[in-house]
Amino acid sequence: MLIDKLKPSGTPGQRFRAALARSQPLPVVGAMNPFCALLAERAGHQAVYLAGGGMATYSHGLPDLGLTTMTEVLQDVRRMTDACDLPLMVDVDTGFGGAFNIARLIKGLIKDGAAAIHIEDQVQLKRCGHRPNKALVGTAEMVDRIKACVDARSDDSFFLVARTDSLANEGLQAAIDRACAYMEAGADMIFAEACGELGQYRSFVQAIDRPHSVMANITEFSMTPTFTLDELRQAGVSAALYPLSAARAMAAAAQNVYRAILEDGSPRRMLGAMQPRTELYEVLNYHAYEAKYDELFAAGADK
């Protein structure tokens, strides 16, 4: 039996839009699983993110090459939204097929409680946005992807972000031209991938000339420096993704623990890097569940 909790008011999309209005820019932090989403909520974040590359790596042990499926994405979305009430943005790669596939995806995401997506203009055999040799579809095909999202949206507050990977391939002006076409097609925001300078974000913001129009991807060890929120704010950026920051730290910590067990015969020297059991229980509201068990067992004993 689950412990009841109050549900937040408004749709997930409405809550995401409200968070975007409150924070300039809004940090949207990656959560590799539902427990990480709870940790982000506990830390005070207002939105979380399910990264396609993160899901491939940490749920399936695969590289970020478009190898996961629509079904797998929706499954992870349900896990996240069941556990955490923060609005969730989902990376849907290129949409997992044509217009009808995209429509199924959007309807499923809204039904399962997602707040927002970003969809990109790479070909279906996509690559990580910070790797070489990316191939793009034409502007018209990407516009069709966006229109399929708009047409399938049963909730007008569901937030649509169009990602363009064209800066690396086609240059800044071509990327801006694509971005303007994507916004005209119905996107709510542009995800300008692999920007290396703050001035590039400014150029997107000025060309689009709409509120809350540009998102930055602050992913470590990439083509984009780890700009601060203040720097992004001054450039006019409205949201900043941190897709794998926590996941990378967790992976490094796990690797160190595994090594310590072999080298020392014990994880003792790593205890200071671990989350205490007491904090784990607090995040999960463990004692409330346990108290409910005690109540049920006591009621059964009285019969």
Side-chain angles (χ1 to χ4, degrees), residues 210-292:
R210 282 170 53 179
H212 311 315
S213 61
V214 175
M215 181 166 69
N217 185 22
I218 308 302
T219 181
E220 301 79 13
F221 317 113
S222 71
M223 297 171 70
T224 300
T226 51
F227 297 122
T228 67
L229 287 172
D230 280 342
E231 289 171 329
L232 294 171
R233 183 180 302 111
Q234 292 167 18
V237 170
S238 295
L241 281 181
Y242 300 87
L244 297 171
S245 304
R248 289 189 174 105
M250 292 171 74
Q255 197 167 53
N256 289 335
V257 169
Y258 296 147
R259 287 171 176 163
I261 290 169
L262 286 178
E263 292 168 2
D264 304 347
S266 166
R268 187 179 303 156
R269 67 178 161 99
M270 296 302 301
L271 290 178
M274 295 183 189
Q275 182 186 53
R277 185 182 294 267
T278 53
E279 187 173 322
L280 168 71
Y281 288 171
E282 288 173 7
V283 174
L284 294 176
N285 201 20
Y286 185 93
H287 296 297
Y289 282 82
E290 200 169 52
K292 191 66 177 179

Side-chain angles (χ1 to χ4, degrees), residues 4-28:
D4 293 333
K5 60 179 181 178
L6 293 175
K7 286 293 182 183
S9 60
T11 69
Q14 288 170 341
R15 299 200 305 275
F16 181 81
R17 290 171 186 270
L20 194 62
R22 285 191 299 267
S23 301
Q24 290 291 308
L26 173 68
V28 184

Side-chain angles (χ1 to χ4, degrees), residues 116-135:
I117 64 156
H118 69 75
I119 188 168
E120 67 198 57
D121 57 7
Q122 287 197 51
V123 298
Q124 288 193 35
L125 293 177
K126 60 150 289 174
R127 298 171 186 249
C128 168
H130 294 264
R131 295 293 300 158
N133 302 319
K134 295 184 291 185

Side-chain angles (χ1 to χ4, degrees), residues 11-243:
T11 69
Q14 288 170 341
R15 299 200 305 275
F16 181 81
R17 290 171 186 270
L20 194 62
R22 285 191 299 267
S23 301
Q24 290 291 308
L26 173 68
V28 184
V29 291
M32 61 188 285
N33 54 43
F35 184 66
C36 287
L38 292 173
L39 292 175
E41 185 175 34
R42 182 180 174 85
H45 283 282
Q46 299 179 65
V48 288
Y49 175 62
L50 179 60
M55 194 187 85
T57 298
Y58 298 107
S59 290
H60 300 282
L62 294 170
D64 182 15
L65 291 168
L67 300 175
T68 51
T69 68
M70 181 193 305
T71 300
E72 289 165 342
V73 169
L74 290 173
Q75 183 179 57
D76 271 19
V77 167
R78 285 191 293 274
R79 290 171 177 163
M80 299 280 275
T81 57
D82 281 349
C84 180
D85 290 327
L86 288 180
L88 173 67
M89 176 179 283
V90 183
D91 177 358
V92 301
D93 290 341
T94 63
F96 306 105
F100 294 132
N101 301 75
I102 292 170
R104 288 188 65 212
L105 173 67
I106 297 300
K107 291 178 185 299
L109 288 166
I110 292 173
K111 181 180 178 181
D112 292 335
I117 64 156
H118 69 75
I119 188 168
E120 67 198 57
D121 57 7
Q122 287 197 51
V123 298
Q124 288 193 35
L125 293 177
K126 60 150 289 174
R127 298 171 186 249
C128 168
H130 294 264
R131 295 293 300 158
N133 302 319
K134 295 184 291 185
L136 308 180
V137 298
T139 300
E141 184 170 341
M142 180 59 177
V143 163
D144 286 343
R145 290 177 183 175
I146 297 165
K147 288 181 177 178
C149 293
V150 173
D151 290 345
R153 184 166 55 180
S154 57
D155 172 13
D156 289 341
S157 71
F158 187 75
F159 200 84
L160 303 176
V161 179
R163 168 176 148 176
T164 182
D165 284 73
S166 56
L167 179 62
N169 289 34
E170 300 176 353
L172 180 59
Q173 188 55 55
I176 288 171
D177 292 343
R178 280 179 175 262
C180 290
Y182 301 166
M183 293 293 281
E184 185 66 26
D188 294 302
M189 178 179 277
I190 293 298
F191 176 165
E193 179 66 301
C195 288
E197 304 170 10
L198 289 167
Q200 292 170 331
Y201 292 121
R202 290 191 190 96
S203 296
F204 279 101
V205 170
Q206 290 166 4
I208 296 169
D209 193 25
R210 282 170 53 179
H212 311 315
S213 61
V214 175
M215 181 166 69
N217 185 22
I218 308 302
T219 181
E220 301 79 13
F221 317 113
S222 71
M223 297 171 70
T224 300
T226 51
F227 297 122
T228 67
L229 287 172
D230 280 342
E231 289 171 329
L232 294 171
R233 183 180 302 111
Q234 292 167 18
V237 170
S238 295
L241 281 181
Y242 300 87

